[in-house]
Amino acid sequence: PDFDWGWPTKIDRELVEDLFTLEFVTEPANVVLCGPNAVGKTMIAQNIADLALRRGHTVLFVTASEMLKDLADQASSAALSRRIKHYCQPELLVVDEVGYLSYDNRHADLLFEVVSGRYQKRALVLTTNKPFAEWNEIFPNATCVVTLIDRIVHRSEIVSIEGESYRLKEAKERAASKAAHRAATR
């Protein structure tokens, strides 16, 4: 994968590279990529998903908001059961952007159902901008948050990434390049 290892101020490169063996998929175990915006969490998750697909695994990549809206929109318990099964079946489920929005108790319960349905049977990769201690902000008043976190972290690799926004870095470089170009053409 094309990743700028020098950009994050903290990342366990050895652990991340070990994830690309995909042992956690066959084990199965979970992976949590945790860090602020634009430090490479989604890029790493996409590369893992792509490699898993190329190695013949079934994979589903979805944002937390897409999945939770899909599940919450189901009109009947039978329809909901089918959609939960849809998210529980792939060998690898990647749920991106947990923590960027906050959700009500129903959404917390739906995520709990998916995590529980996959628990110790199928691999899960989550990306989040919030440490677990702050998940009560994502799911305020939800009673299942402690158990949800417990099931996610049991048999998991947690990759903590620290650093500044790579997108902001690129935006500043682009602006500087444009300014230099304008100055040179005057």
Side-chain angles (χ1 to χ4, degrees), residues 14 18 20 32 41 46 71 85-86 89 92 106 139 168 171 186:
E14 200 172 294
D18 187 56
F20 286 94
V32 180
K41 300 179 303 291
Q46 287 171 332
L71 293 171
K85 188 175 180 183
H86 167 76
Q89 275 193 308
L92 175 61
R106 173 150 167 73
F139 304 106
L168 183 59
R186 287 188 194 143

mmCIF file of all heavy atoms in Angstrom, residues 14 18 20 32 41 46 71 85-86 89 92 106 139 168 171 186:
data_model
loop_
_atom_site.group_PDB
_atom_site.id
_atom_site.type_symbol
_atom_site.label_atom_id
_atom_site.label_comp_id
_atom_site.label_asym_id
_atom_site.label_seq_id
_atom_site.Cartn_x
_atom_site.Cartn_y
_atom_site.Cartn_z
ATOM 1 N N GLU A 14 4.859 -1.973 12.323
ATOM 2 C CA GLU A 14 4.992 -3.437 12.336
ATOM 3 C C GLU A 14 3.624 -4.103 12.508
ATOM 4 O O GLU A 14 3.299 -5.078 11.822
ATOM 5 C CB GLU A 14 5.938 -3.847 13.463
ATOM 6 C CG GLU A 14 6.534 -5.210 13.309
ATOM 7 C CD GLU A 14 7.611 -5.456 14.368
ATOM 8 O OE1 GLU A 14 8.656 -4.777 14.332
ATOM 9 O OE2 GLU A 14 7.373 -6.335 15.220
ATOM 10 N N ASP A 18 1.630 -6.323 9.784
ATOM 11 C CA ASP A 18 1.198 -7.668 10.159
ATOM 12 C C ASP A 18 -0.278 -7.898 9.804
ATOM 13 O O ASP A 18 -0.662 -9.022 9.468
ATOM 14 C CB ASP A 18 1.424 -7.900 11.657
ATOM 15 C CG ASP A 18 1.144 -9.338 12.056
ATOM 16 O OD1 ASP A 18 1.762 -10.250 11.464
ATOM 17 O OD2 ASP A 18 0.295 -9.546 12.946
ATOM 18 N N PHE A 20 -1.694 -7.063 7.211
ATOM 19 C CA PHE A 20 -1.770 -7.409 5.796
ATOM 20 C C PHE A 20 -1.450 -8.884 5.521
ATOM 21 O O PHE A 20 -1.579 -9.331 4.387
ATOM 22 C CB PHE A 20 -0.894 -6.473 4.961
ATOM 23 C CG PHE A 20 -1.508 -5.102 4.824
ATOM 24 C CD1 PHE A 20 -1.178 -4.084 5.694
ATOM 25 C CD2 PHE A 20 -2.457 -4.860 3.848
ATOM 26 C CE1 PHE A 20 -1.769 -2.843 5.594
ATOM 27 C CE2 PHE A 20 -3.056 -3.620 3.731
ATOM 28 C CZ PHE A 20 -2.709 -2.608 4.610
ATOM 29 N N VAL A 32 -9.206 -2.411 15.219
ATOM 30 C CA VAL A 32 -9.723 -1.069 15.438
ATOM 31 C C VAL A 32 -8.616 -0.095 15.078
ATOM 32 O O VAL A 32 -7.531 -0.149 15.647
ATOM 33 C CB VAL A 32 -10.167 -0.857 16.902
ATOM 34 C CG1 VAL A 32 -10.693 0.559 17.099
ATOM 35 C CG2 VAL A 32 -11.208 -1.893 17.303
ATOM 36 N N LYS A 41 -6.521 6.192 8.566
ATOM 37 C CA LYS A 41 -7.319 5.048 9.038
ATOM 38 C C LYS A 41 -8.105 4.407 7.899
ATOM 39 O O LYS A 41 -8.043 3.198 7.701
ATOM 40 C CB LYS A 41 -8.300 5.490 10.138
ATOM 41 C CG LYS A 41 -7.660 6.083 11.363
ATOM 42 C CD LYS A 41 -8.680 6.518 12.397
ATOM 43 C CE LYS A 41 -9.711 7.501 11.906
ATOM 44 N NZ LYS A 41 -9.219 8.846 11.593
ATOM 45 N N GLN A 46 -9.196 0.379 3.698
ATOM 46 C CA GLN A 46 -9.490 0.087 2.288
ATOM 47 C C GLN A 46 -8.451 -0.868 1.704
ATOM 48 O O GLN A 46 -8.807 -1.780 0.949
ATOM 49 C CB GLN A 46 -9.518 1.379 1.466
ATOM 50 C CG GLN A 46 -10.735 2.225 1.720
ATOM 51 C CD GLN A 46 -10.639 3.593 1.057
ATOM 52 O OE1 GLN A 46 -9.561 4.138 0.853
ATOM 53 N NE2 GLN A 46 -11.789 4.156 0.728
ATOM 54 N N LEU A 71 -30.078 -0.176 8.510
ATOM 55 C CA LEU A 71 -30.723 -1.047 9.491
ATOM 56 C C LEU A 71 -31.933 -0.371 10.140
ATOM 57 O O LEU A 71 -32.981 -0.989 10.304
ATOM 58 C CB LEU A 71 -29.713 -1.479 10.556
ATOM 59 C CG LEU A 71 -28.592 -2.405 10.067
ATOM 60 C CD1 LEU A 71 -27.531 -2.588 11.143
ATOM 61 C CD2 LEU A 71 -29.149 -3.747 9.622
ATOM 62 N N LYS A 85 -28.279 -9.997 8.934
ATOM 63 C CA LYS A 85 -27.598 -11.164 8.353
ATOM 64 C C LYS A 85 -26.671 -10.724 7.212
ATOM 65 O O LYS A 85 -25.561 -11.242 7.073
ATOM 66 C CB LYS A 85 -28.627 -12.179 7.855
ATOM 67 C CG LYS A 85 -28.028 -13.486 7.408
ATOM 68 C CD LYS A 85 -29.099 -14.495 7.030
ATOM 69 C CE LYS A 85 -28.449 -15.792 6.598
ATOM 70 N NZ LYS A 85 -29.438 -16.784 6.163
ATOM 71 N N HIS A 86 -27.135 -9.760 6.403
ATOM 72 C CA HIS A 86 -26.333 -9.215 5.296
ATOM 73 C C HIS A 86 -24.989 -8.681 5.818
ATOM 74 O O HIS A 86 -23.949 -8.889 5.197
ATOM 75 C CB HIS A 86 -27.130 -8.100 4.602
ATOM 76 C CG HIS A 86 -26.343 -7.251 3.659
ATOM 77 N ND1 HIS A 86 -25.964 -7.684 2.405
ATOM 78 C CD2 HIS A 86 -25.862 -5.993 3.792
ATOM 79 C CE1 HIS A 86 -25.281 -6.717 1.805
ATOM 80 N NE2 HIS A 86 -25.211 -5.689 2.622
ATOM 81 N N GLN A 89 -22.683 -11.782 7.329
ATOM 82 C CA GLN A 89 -22.199 -12.867 6.476
ATOM 83 C C GLN A 89 -20.789 -12.722 5.925
ATOM 84 O O GLN A 89 -20.069 -13.709 5.894
ATOM 85 C CB GLN A 89 -23.173 -13.100 5.332
ATOM 86 C CG GLN A 89 -24.295 -14.016 5.756
ATOM 87 C CD GLN A 89 -25.095 -14.501 4.569
ATOM 88 O OE1 GLN A 89 -25.543 -13.712 3.756
ATOM 89 N NE2 GLN A 89 -25.257 -15.796 4.485
ATOM 90 N N LEU A 92 -15.160 -10.585 6.084
ATOM 91 C CA LEU A 92 -14.600 -9.343 6.625
ATOM 92 C C LEU A 92 -15.611 -8.227 6.434
ATOM 93 O O LEU A 92 -16.048 -7.968 5.314
ATOM 94 C CB LEU A 92 -13.286 -8.987 5.922
ATOM 95 C CG LEU A 92 -12.654 -7.644 6.318
ATOM 96 C CD1 LEU A 92 -12.319 -7.607 7.804
ATOM 97 C CD2 LEU A 92 -11.415 -7.371 5.477
ATOM 98 N N ARG A 106 -31.376 3.311 19.627
ATOM 99 C CA ARG A 106 -31.719 2.296 18.621
ATOM 100 C C ARG A 106 -30.519 1.986 17.739
ATOM 101 O O ARG A 106 -30.236 0.821 17.453
ATOM 102 C CB ARG A 106 -32.904 2.766 17.785
ATOM 103 C CG ARG A 106 -33.197 1.839 16.611
ATOM 104 C CD ARG A 106 -34.669 1.841 16.250
ATOM 105 N NE ARG A 106 -34.963 1.223 14.965
ATOM 106 C CZ ARG A 106 -34.922 -0.072 14.717
ATOM 107 N NH1 ARG A 106 -34.582 -0.917 15.675
ATOM 108 N NH2 ARG A 106 -35.218 -0.558 13.525
ATOM 109 N N PHE A 139 -22.870 7.314 21.324
ATOM 110 C CA PHE A 139 -24.136 6.652 21.661
ATOM 111 C C PHE A 139 -24.575 7.098 23.055
ATOM 112 O O PHE A 139 -24.536 6.316 24.000
ATOM 113 C CB PHE A 139 -23.967 5.134 21.625
ATOM 114 C CG PHE A 139 -23.451 4.598 20.317
ATOM 115 C CD1 PHE A 139 -22.137 4.157 20.198
ATOM 116 C CD2 PHE A 139 -24.280 4.538 19.199
ATOM 117 C CE1 PHE A 139 -21.658 3.651 18.992
ATOM 118 C CE2 PHE A 139 -23.813 4.038 17.987
ATOM 119 C CZ PHE A 139 -22.494 3.601 17.885
ATOM 120 N N LEU A 168 -5.046 18.302 5.257
ATOM 121 C CA LEU A 168 -4.666 19.692 5.500
ATOM 122 C C LEU A 168 -3.256 19.946 4.986
ATOM 123 O O LEU A 168 -2.984 20.982 4.369
ATOM 124 C CB LEU A 168 -4.776 20.024 6.991
ATOM 125 C CG LEU A 168 -4.474 21.457 7.392
ATOM 126 C CD1 LEU A 168 -5.407 22.433 6.675
ATOM 127 C CD2 LEU A 168 -4.607 21.619 8.905
ATOM 128 N N ALA A 171 -3.508 20.225 1.268
ATOM 129 C CA ALA A 171 -4.145 21.490 0.892
ATOM 130 C C ALA A 171 -3.147 22.646 0.995
ATOM 131 O O ALA A 171 -3.095 23.516 0.113
ATOM 132 C CB ALA A 171 -5.365 21.757 1.774
ATOM 133 N N ARG A 186 4.003 35.938 -13.445
ATOM 134 C CA ARG A 186 3.763 37.392 -13.485
ATOM 135 C C ARG A 186 4.828 38.109 -14.236
ATOM 136 O O ARG A 186 5.926 37.830 -14.387
ATOM 137 C CB ARG A 186 3.692 37.961 -12.066
ATOM 138 C CG ARG A 186 2.416 37.583 -11.382
ATOM 139 C CD ARG A 186 2.298 38.325 -10.071
ATOM 140 N NE ARG A 186 1.238 37.677 -9.318
ATOM 141 C CZ ARG A 186 1.257 37.507 -8.022
ATOM 142 N NH1 ARG A 186 2.249 37.956 -7.320
ATOM 143 N NH2 ARG A 186 0.279 36.919 -7.422
#
